[in-house]
Amino acid sequence: MQIKSQRSVKILLIMASIVIILAGVKAASAIVVPFLLSIFIAMACSPIITWANRYKLPRAVAVILVILIIVVFGLILAGLVGQSMNEFSQNMPKYREQLVEEFSWVIGQLDTFNINVDKEALISYLDPGAAMNMATNLLTSLGGVLTNFLLILLIVVFMLFEAESVPKKIHIALDDPSMKMQQIDKFLLSVKNYLVIKTLVSLGTGLIIGIWLYVLDIDHFLLWAVLAFLFNYIPNIGSFIAAVPAVLLAFVQLGPAAAGFTALGFVVSNTIMGNVIEPRYMGRGLGLSTLVVFLSLIFWGWLLGTVGMLLSVPLTMIVKIALESSPDTRWVALLLASEDDEPDIEETQVENAGG
């Protein structure tokens, strides 16, 4: 009885600690968000620094070159996207009116099939311009975070300089100076590999979408390419969210056929990049169930805002990998896993049975 009571007290203390930590993170989100962005950028750039060191290039020179590339491309991209956002915002009232007209045309076509829909009621419930407004609001919120660009850049520079010593420090902090705990190294390597591969796949997706929309002559194609790149970090539902405003704009600008081709481009690119290329290099064992992806989107969005939504899956993946590294918490990681990880579940059950 006393053992059960102690376990209950321990569980309550852990839950209370988690609530206090989350409340502190939400209160300090203005500081936490730039720091998290810096960590992800540094992890994505770390393999480039390692590759440069193999060719005897000094680490300081490699870091400076990487930062210069980030700054130059970042400024160019920010200028182009900012211009597209301004033009899109100015044209938004016109797009909204055209969308309502096209929406009315669709309702008229439904009437020909004896499907009676109250046009005024449906338009009042389903604002056809809401998805397009959502896209611009998300990018505007992200731009607000990037006003701390100089701070993020400085943190990235210091992180890249300290990257080599971080694993050793973590081992010492966890009382493992002899480097015997392979779970720590596996955790760090898995997180880095996941972020690098996901970033490259997202870049490829954004590039394909941008070229496809440019060929179709869709307005603000660069804006939708950036949106596709960002939302590709959210599997299963991210590509759908990114496609909606581009498809609506194609529908308004060029008609139903262009909207269909635009949607087809998103489907094909995400099928190839997400279901063929990404699993080939990512491997098995990093999957999350669709329910967990959706819940993580809501949770991290509530906790950290727009950046939390974009980083929801990488953050959840870090939690999952961390839970997998310990036998005591591996069962929680299994609850987060997708059906593709069933072989891992069976292996874990065998290990537990053997232990």
Side-chain angles (χ1 to χ4, degrees), residues 129-140 227 231 241-242 244-245 309:
M132 303 174 79
N133 271 332
M134 179 194 69
T136 53
N137 290 337
L138 285 172
L139 288 172
T140 303
L227 199 69
F231 277 86
I241 297 174
V244 170
M309 294 175 64

Side-chain angles (χ1 to χ4, degrees), residues 172-235:
I172 295 174
L174 297 179
D175 196 20
D176 182 39
S178 59
M179 308 289 182
K180 293 180 180 178
M181 290 178 60
Q182 296 180 356
Q183 294 93 338
I184 300 174
D185 299 323
K186 181 182 178 182
F187 166 71
L188 294 174
L189 183 62
S190 298
V191 171
K192 185 173 70 174
N193 289 342
Y194 174 79
L195 289 175
V196 171
I197 294 171
K198 194 67 180 177
T199 300
L200 292 175
V201 170
S202 299
L203 281 171
T205 302
L207 184 63
I208 293 172
I209 293 298
I211 294 173
W212 180 249
L213 296 181
Y214 174 77
V215 171
L216 293 176
D217 196 25
I218 306 299
D219 289 344
H220 317 299
F221 65 91
L222 186 61
L223 188 64
W224 311 128
V226 172
L227 199 69
F229 161 71
L230 294 174
F231 277 86
N232 195 65
Y233 283 97
I234 307 173

Side-chain angles (χ1 to χ4, degrees), residues 19-99:
V19 171
I20 293 172
I21 292 170
L22 292 178
V25 169
K26 187 169 179 62
S29 60
I31 300 173
V32 174
V33 168
F35 182 70
L36 283 176
L37 279 174
S38 302
I39 292 176
F40 285 112
I41 293 172
M43 283 188 169
C45 295
S46 180
I48 302 176
I49 307 298
T50 304
W51 175 80
N53 289 337
R54 291 178 184 173
Y55 290 90
K56 308 300 181 182
L57 190 67
R59 188 174 188 85
V61 176
V63 170
I64 292 172
L65 288 176
V66 168
I67 295 301
L68 285 176
I69 292 172
I70 292 174
V71 171
V72 170
F73 279 96
L75 290 176
I76 294 173
L77 190 63
L80 293 174
V81 172
Q83 183 180 356
S84 296
M85 285 185 63
N86 289 334
E87 293 176 359
F88 180 72
S89 298
Q90 292 174 0
N91 295 330
M92 189 63 206
K94 180 181 70 175
Y95 290 147
R96 184 185 293 273
E97 292 178 5
Q98 291 176 337
L99 272 172

Side-chain angles (χ1 to χ4, degrees), residues 147-160:
T147 53
N148 296 320
F149 181 70
L150 182 59
L151 174 62
I152 294 172
L153 203 62
L154 288 173
I155 297 174
V156 170
V157 170
F158 288 117
M159 284 183 174
L160 290 175

